[in-house]
Amino acid sequence: MSESENRPGCPMSAPHPSKGFNEGLTYNSYLKVPELLALQQYESEPPAHDELLFITIHQAYELWFKLILFELDSVIEAMKGDEIYEASRLLQRVLQIEKLLVSQIHILETMTPRDFLRFRAALNPASGFQSIQFREVEFVTGIRDPSLLKHIDQTDDDSRRLRERLESPSLRTHLYELLVRQGFEVGIPPEEGELTPEMRTQNLEALWRLYRYPEANFHLYTLAESLVEHDQNILLWRFHHVRVVERLIGTKPGTGGSSGVEYLSSTLERRAYPVLWEVRGTLSDEEIYGTHE
Ligand code: HEM
């Protein structure tokens, strides 16, 4: 058997399509493995056993957030071009990653409250409040509370991205604009704050048609439901995160200065697509199956 026939199935072992062969490239040099493995640096002294888990899990989240944001930007581009199937297809990857992120938080439950105390003070005042990419995911989705920007160091170069997100239309706005172009008489909800009662009623009525006859606009319906699932995944992550926090620190305040569990519990109803959640409650079985007398 020749060397090329003997290559393992991993696509990374395939020759570079344009050059034929990428001389000198290895798994470690391509993926920058040595650099990656040098990024876990303890703050505790002497090093606390569980700090490596704590750093690793946060870094893994930030890497996945990066990919989620990259994919959501592609979803927006597809929506702008009325490529409804493609937008929905790209969202499926995001949804799968989010499922992983929801379950991953529980690895932290293998740490005891006492072991966390061995290094928690050394992290003060760093906090999840300062995760720029988490806020970016919220802002791009349509969950926007600019007051939370006060936790982000505005001299940080990356905070510029966050401000740009705040000035750009969210996925929700792109969805409603798409609905208008597809013949649904919806109003475009504001990026911040509540929508008016009149617009809520108007949008519920217009969206009723999409949910009453999903087969008539199947790709659009799938896209809307995928966005609801994205909203749901963020909520599920919040719920699982707050329970893990409670198991580890109880009712102690957070290192970012919030009340901790009490604050996090107050975020559990933040939704980007309240009308899409509500519309299914407006369907009745009589409309669908007729009345049986
Ligand atoms: C031992 C584990 C953890 C504890 C005790 C913890 C605790 C907290 C607390 C108390 C807050 C409220 C803000 C504050 O006052 O600091 C918070 C917020 C936050 N944490 Fe965690 N956390 C943990 C793990 C994680 C992980 C693994 C992530 C992954 C990225 C994360 C991301 C966040 C984010 C994004 C916020 C802001 C949430 C919001 O404002 O809606 N946390 N965390």
Side-chain angles (χ1 to χ4, degrees):
M1 192 183 281
S2 73
E3 200 189 320
S4 62
E5 280 168 334
N6 207 13
R7 285 178 193 282
C10 173
M12 284 194 39
S13 63
H16 192 287
S18 58
K19 294 184 195 156
F21 193 73
N22 207 340
E23 187 69 47
L25 191 70
T26 66
Y27 179 92
N28 288 321
S29 67
Y30 176 51
L31 298 173
K32 307 278 184 286
V33 177
E35 291 90 330
L36 192 62
L37 299 185
L39 295 177
Q40 295 71 44
Q41 291 166 13
Y42 293 69
E43 283 296 328
S44 55
E45 187 53 51
H49 179 95
D50 285 9
E51 193 177 348
L52 183 58
L53 163 70
F54 191 84
I55 298 170
T56 305
I57 194 163
H58 281 85
Q59 289 184 342
Y61 268 103
E62 291 293 336
L63 276 177
W64 285 119
F65 288 159
K66 177 177 177 175
L67 186 62
I68 287 175
L69 289 164
F70 176 75
E71 300 296 354
L72 290 179
D73 283 339
S74 308
V75 171
I76 286 178
E77 283 312 305
M79 286 165 85
K80 278 160 64 177
D82 291 332
E83 297 170 57
I84 305 174
Y85 166 78
E86 182 62 3
S88 188
R89 189 188 71 79
L90 289 165
L91 254 180
Q92 303 314 306
R93 180 174 302 165
V94 172
L95 300 179
Q96 289 300 332
I97 297 168
E98 289 171 343
K99 286 192 169 67
L100 176 73
L101 296 189
V102 171
S103 57
Q104 165 169 313
I105 194 85
H106 294 287
I107 301 172
L108 284 165
E109 288 164 355
T110 62
M111 177 164 71
T112 66
R114 188 196 59 180
D115 289 339
F116 186 34
L117 284 175
R118 292 192 200 283
F119 64 95
R120 186 173 187 234
L123 314 180
N124 205 7
S127 157
F129 261 158
Q130 296 156 347
S131 169
I132 292 176
Q133 293 199 109
F134 179 81
R135 286 295 166 233
E136 279 189 77
V137 172
E138 280 192 334
F139 287 1
V140 76
T141 299
I143 302 168
R144 296 188 173 186
D145 179 355
S147 73
L148 292 166
L149 286 174
K150 66 174 182 279
H151 299 291
I152 310 270
D153 177 2
Q154 299 299 317
T155 60
D156 186 330
D157 274 354
D158 290 345
S159 71
R160 186 179 37 81
R161 278 199 329 262
L162 194 54
R163 286 193 300 278
E164 282 169 10
R165 296 262 179 214
L166 204 53
E167 284 153 20
S168 309
S170 65
L171 275 165
R172 183 181 56 230
T173 296
H174 286 293
L175 174 72
Y176 277 82
E177 288 178 353
L178 181 60
L179 284 161
V180 170
R181 291 197 297 278
Q182 296 295 315
F184 290 84
E185 290 176 1
V186 289
I188 313 290
E191 288 290 7
E192 286 164 40
E194 302 280 307
L195 76 174
T196 61
E198 294 74 28
M199 191 184 283
R200 173 178 156 268
T201 307
Q202 176 192 347
N203 289 357
L204 276 175
E205 283 173 11
L207 287 166
W208 176 88
R209 181 160 63 89
L210 184 64
Y211 279 75
R212 171 66 180 83
Y213 304 104
E215 64 284 357
N217 294 279
F218 189 66
H219 289 320
L220 195 54
Y221 171 79
T222 308
L223 178 62
E225 279 297 274
S226 300
L227 287 169
V228 170
E229 193 169 337
H230 170 56
D231 214 15
Q232 172 174 288
N233 286 342
I234 296 175
L235 283 171
L236 288 174
W237 181 82
R238 291 187 201 279
F239 179 78
H240 288 261
H241 170 256
V242 65
R243 292 286 75 82
V244 169
V245 172
E246 189 172 7
R247 284 184 67 175
L248 283 162
I249 64 168
T251 54
K252 286 181 188 167
T255 45
S258 81
S259 56
V261 166
E262 191 189 33
Y263 159 74
L264 292 168
S265 301
S266 76
T267 69
L268 292 179
E269 274 309 316
R270 284 185 192 162
R271 290 175 198 232
Y273 304 93
V275 177
L276 288 179
W277 282 93
E278 196 179 349
V279 66
R280 60 212 73 226
T282 66
L283 298 176
S284 86
D285 49 359
E286 283 144 22
E287 281 153 9
I288 292 165
Y289 299 112
T291 41
H292 303 285
E293 293 179 88

